[in-house]
Amino acid sequence: MRLKDKVAVITGAAQGIGRAYSLRFAAEGAAVALLDKRIEQAQMVEREIQRSGGRALAIGCDVTDEQEMADVARRVHQHLGRIDALINNAALYYDIDLADTSIAYGRKVMDVNVFGVLIASWAVVPYMMRQRSGSIINISSNAAWPGIAARGAKLSTVSEDNVRRAYYYGLSKAAVVHLTQAMAIDFGAYGIRVNTLVPGVVLSEATKKALPEQFMEALRQQALLGTLMQPEDVVGTAVFLASDDSRLMTSQVLVIDAGRKLW
Ligand SMILES: NC(=O)c1ccc[n+]([C@@H]2O[C@H](COP(=O)([O-])OP(=O)(O)OC[C@H]3O[C@@H](n4cnc5c(N)ncnc54)[C@H](O)[C@@H]3O)[C@@H](O)[C@H]2O)c1
């Protein structure tokens, strides 16, 4: 067990890749706090983990609410005793509004995907500082690279709407890379590591809803490894980043995309 006795906070834990991180972290021995605005779904993940003998605590919250997140971090620390890792996974993705391309919508995407990362990190950092250790894992996307986002939007359907959404999502995920490096500089002296995971397209509820089948097939063909990715394909790298095996790694960007970034 690579995360024995560790406590991990995972945002957006109710479904998709967040659920996969949660199940695997628990299987690796971590106690996991499952944060999501979808509390009932998060509680289902909590029960699933408890049934297999793991420790989990589901908490309903909105990562963009600073006061609420400070309370959540206090609750996690009270119940689970420490905070070793945070996965900033929650994002506006499944909830993406395919009809709304307004700037106001773009601001909403930035609020959850960027400020949510900052707010959740600031909530747990005081506990990590006291421990003088911690690992923050931010989730970007290969859509942070404009060429990938633009090609993705074109493949998806050639419409201005998609291009606009690619701007919003790509911009937010590029900002996550910036935040990672800024926080790594800021918190390094306290033993807190901050790294970014960059998944390519993963077959989650979100992508199945948002992306047409021919887009998926094109992706599969363009991947150097000739495969599409499942949520479980990215979790091992998160386990590594949360574990002591990566204790001297910070400010890094790790891409997992079956080789698509290179096409
Ligand atoms: N699926 C992919 O292909 C892919 C690729 C690259 C990166 N990512 C990133 O991986 C992460 C997970 O992706 P997914 O496909 O599982 O997404 P998803 O939309 O299925 O899950 C996101 C979760 O975050 C929660 N959430 C959203 N806003 C929230 C808020 N304000 N407060 C609390 N919880 C909130 C949702 O309820 C949901 O459970 C996201 O950061 C996404 O951008 C996904």
Side-chain angles (χ1 to χ4, degrees), residues 18-253:
R19 175 175 169 275
Y21 292 132
S22 306
L23 297 178
R24 177 70 184 277
F25 269 50
E28 294 286 353
V32 283
L34 314 168
L35 278 45
D36 207 290
K37 60 182 188 186
R38 291 183 161 83
I39 180 60
E40 282 169 19
Q41 267 179 256
Q43 282 166 338
M44 284 165 63
V45 181
E46 178 188 50
R47 284 194 291 275
E48 204 175 338
I49 290 171
Q50 288 168 345
R51 272 199 302 272
S52 19
R55 287 175 77 201
L57 173 69
I59 303 179
C61 61
D62 181 340
V63 292
T64 65
D65 185 326
E66 202 172 353
Q67 185 54 53
E68 194 179 356
M69 289 307 290
D71 291 343
V72 165
R74 197 173 311 117
R75 228 178 112 189
V76 172
H77 193 259
Q78 242 167 27
H79 279 77
L80 302 176
R82 49 188 294 118
I83 301 180
D84 298 293
L86 164 69
I87 308 186
N88 277 311
N89 167 77
L92 264 194
Y93 196 66
Y94 182 80
D95 302 291
I96 200 154
D97 186 339
L98 295 171
D100 193 349
T101 59
S102 67
I103 286 290
Y105 183 68
R107 290 198 173 109
K108 216 160 108 186
V109 171
M110 293 297 284
D111 199 23
V112 178
N113 298 12
V114 181
F115 289 100
V117 170
L118 251 191
I119 289 170
S121 302
W122 281 341
V124 302
V125 153
Y127 301 95
M128 292 180 169
M129 276 180 170
R130 261 178 258 151
Q131 291 165 194
R132 299 200 76 79
S133 71
S135 172
I136 297 177
I137 302 162
N138 293 330
I139 308 299
S140 179
S141 159
N142 62 6
W145 282 264
I148 302 274
R151 266 179 280 191
K154 283 209 179 86
L155 271 175
S156 184
T157 56
V158 192
S159 86
E160 195 200 325
D161 294 357
N162 268 319
V163 174
R164 274 193 170 221
R165 272 193 297 276
Y167 268 104
Y168 302 149
Y169 184 69
L171 189 57
S172 74
K173 291 298 180 178
V176 168
V177 176
H178 173 98
L179 271 185
T180 297
Q181 293 173 353
M183 292 196 292
I185 292 168
D186 206 11
F187 305 140
Y190 300 94
I192 300 170
R193 306 183 288 111
V194 191
N195 293 291
T196 304
L197 249 180
V198 180
V201 174
V202 174
L203 289 175
S204 64
E205 286 93 336
T207 41
K208 283 181 201 151
K209 183 181 140 193
L211 305 171
E213 244 171 65
Q214 76 268 21
F215 174 79
M216 295 300 193
E217 181 48 27
L219 279 188
R220 193 187 61 72
Q221 287 178 14
Q222 286 157 353
L224 295 181
L225 296 177
T227 184
L228 291 170
M229 299 201 303
Q230 304 293 333
E232 293 69 26
D233 291 324
V234 297
V235 300
T237 312
V239 169
F240 168 66
L241 288 176
S243 79
D244 297 337
D245 287 342
S246 60
R247 66 188 174 280
L248 294 183
M249 280 178 66
T250 194
S251 194
Q252 298 304 307
V253 175

